[in-house]
Amino acid sequence: ATGRVLSTDGTPIEGALVATTGSGAFGLMDPRTARTDAGGRFTLPSVQPLVQPLIFVAMAPGHGRVLYRVEAAGPVDLGDIRLPHARTLSGRVLGPGGEPVPRVRVDLRGSNDDKDRLLAAPPERDIGIWWGNVESRLADDLGRFRFHDLAPGTYEVAVRPEEGPAVIREVAVAGDTDVELRLEYEHELTVRVVDGQGLPVPGARLHVLYGRERLWKTADEQGIAIVALPSPATRIGLLAGIDWDGFLPSPPIDLSPDAREVTLTARRAVIVAGRVVDKAGNPVPEVPIAWVCAGEQLGISVSAGDGSFRAKVPLGGAADLIVLTETLAGELRGVVGGSEGVTLVVRPR
C-alpha cells in the first residue's frame, strides 16, 4: 500500500505511523508498519488479508488518528490521508454516590466517522474492526482518565471493574469532550440453580449476556446468584468445564427485558476417562474430542501429552465420543458414565 499523510492544510507530515495487519503463520496477525518520509509518503509491504476489508491506521502526535477500510486483493493506493487536528476525550469514573473510583480500566473503541469513504459500500459486518481502534487506560487515584489524539467521530467508552459488569456510553467527539461515567446498575436479576430433583447447586458458574457485553457469576451456597446490570440481561446459561465434574453445561436461554427471576436446571454428569492412541498403541496428544448425546454436543475435551482425556456423560446415560480434526478420524459409541480405561483409536483420514 502506498499514499501520503498530510495535515488539514495540506502540509506533509514526516514520521507519521501507518499500519495494517494481515494473516500470518497459524492464523496469527501479521502487522506491518511504515513511517512517512519528508514528503509524507509511505510504502507498506503487501499482506495476506486477515479479514476483508483491510484496515489501515494512520497517526501522528498532535493529530487525530484515522482508520480506513479498503477492499483489497493486491496493491492499494490510499492517496492523500489528511489527519485532522487532535481531539481529547476526558472523564471521571464515579461510584453510585458520586465518589471517585480509582485505578479502574477504561476502554475506548471507535474511530473517525468517514472510515468507509474508500469502500464502494459499507461491509455487512464489522469483522475485525476492533483492530486499530481500541485503546485502554487506567483511571488515576481520583477516577480521572484521558484519551489523546482522536479524530472527530463516534466512540464507545467502557468502564470495566475487576468485579461487576461494564458500564458503557456512546460519545460523539466533535471537539475536546468530557464525560462522566457512574457505576450504577439499575437492573437486578435473581438466578436460582437447581439439579433435576430441585435441590440447590452451590458454586454453579453462570454466563450472562447483556447488550454486547458478558459477565460471569458464581452461585452461592444456596445456588443463588444476584446479578446487577446496567441494562437488562438478554441471555443466560450454565458453564460446566471438565473441572466441574458433577454437571454438564446447559444451553443458554433467552430472557425477556422485564425478567427479574429465573431458575436454571443443572444436569448431573459422570466422568469418563481414557486415552487416545494410534493403531500401534502410541499415545496421540492434543486431539479434540466431542461428547455427543442424542445429537447434542455436550462439550469438548483435548487429549494430554500422554494421550489421556476425560469427558462427561449424563448421569444414568451414555454418550458418543467423536474426534474433531480434519486429519484424524475416530469415535466410540454409547460410552457409559463412570467408564475407566477407555481407548479411543484414531487413524488418518
Side-chain angles (χ1 to χ4, degrees), residues 159-167 185 210 214-217 228-230:
V159 182
R160 301 186 186 279
E162 289 187 7
E163 295 185 6
V167 171
Y185 306 111
Y210 60 102
R214 64 190 63 203
L215 173 72
W216 288 266
K217 191 82 172 178
L229 299 168

Side-chain angles (χ1 to χ4, degrees), residues 248-249 251 267-269 290-300 311-322 332-337:
L248 291 166
R267 298 175 293 175
R268 293 198 175 272
W291 335 320
V292 180
C293 180
E296 178 190 355
Q297 183 172 302
L298 303 175
I300 297 175
K312 294 181 183 181
V313 301
L315 179 66
D320 301 329
L321 306 181
I322 303 173
L332 287 173
R333 299 285 180 177
V335 179
V336 178

Side-chain angles (χ1 to χ4, degrees), residues 104-108 135-139 145-148:
V104 66
R105 184 179 127 198
V106 183
D107 293 341
L108 182 73
E135 52 183 307
S136 298
R137 299 279 190 276
L138 274 182
F145 61 88
R146 177 173 294 179
F147 294 93
H148 302 275

Side-chain angles (χ1 to χ4, degrees), residues 323-339:
V323 171
L324 297 176
T325 74
E326 295 181 356
T327 57
L328 297 173
E331 62 181 44
L332 287 173
R333 299 285 180 177
V335 179
V336 178
S339 301

